[in-house]
């Protein structure tokens, strides 16, 4: 008898592995779908998907983490440029599911404060 593995099962398994790796390597946790917040800068808005539980020296961070695409959206950049050239906190490198390409791609998660700082800098 052969075992059938569905694509949904493979994706769910990989998402769980990514969440475990993000916690182990960066102390970044996924947000449960119903517990997220909406973050807005200017006319752009994104949904919270990750948050930082690392201690950067002042206790647990707890700050939202935004993907490269989310940061670019909030900053009005739609190219593959680096949205945050000099982040205060090192970005977390993890794999994220890219629906536009139908695969998992390496991505960076930035602290929301770094994205906000870059936004204010661009506004003058």
């Amino acid at each position: 008898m052969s075992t059938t593995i569905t694509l949904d099962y493979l994706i769910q398994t990989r998402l769980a592995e990514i969440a475990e790796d993000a916690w182990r390597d960066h102390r970044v946790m996924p947000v449960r779908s119903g517990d997220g917040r909406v973050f807005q800068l200017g006319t752009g808005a994104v949904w919270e998907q990750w948050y930082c539980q690392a201690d950067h020296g002042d206790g647990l961070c707890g700050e939202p983490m935004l993907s490269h695409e989310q940061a670019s959206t909030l900053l009005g950049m739609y190219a593959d440029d680096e949205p945050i050239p000099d982040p205060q906190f090192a970005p977390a490198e993890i794999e994220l599911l890219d629906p536009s390409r139908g695969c998992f791609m390496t991505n960076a998660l930035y602290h929301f404060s770094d994205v906000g700082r870059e936004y204010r800098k661009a506004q003058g």
Side-chain angles (χ1 to χ4, degrees), residues 31-98:
V31 173
R32 294 180 191 202
S33 61
D35 297 335
R37 298 167 285 183
V38 174
F39 295 102
Q40 184 169 351
L41 286 174
T43 59
V46 296
W47 184 256
E48 179 183 28
Q49 297 178 334
W50 300 88
Y51 66 100
C52 179
Q53 287 294 286
D55 185 344
H56 303 296
D58 299 320
L60 290 182
C61 179
E63 200 172 312
M65 302 285 285
L66 304 182
S67 70
H68 181 282
E69 288 77 13
Q70 289 177 315
S72 293
T73 297
L74 291 180
L75 296 173
M77 302 165 55
Y78 297 102
D80 287 333
D81 299 26
E82 194 66 32
I84 315 294
D86 299 307
Q88 180 178 349
F89 301 109
E93 294 282 335
I94 68 171
E95 282 189 348
L96 295 177
L97 183 60
D98 186 340

Side-chain angles (χ1 to χ4, degrees), residues 3 13 24 50 72 76 86 112 118 121:
T3 303
T13 301
R24 184 191 65 232
W50 300 88
S72 293
D86 299 307
F112 183 65
E118 196 65 27
K121 190 166 62 174

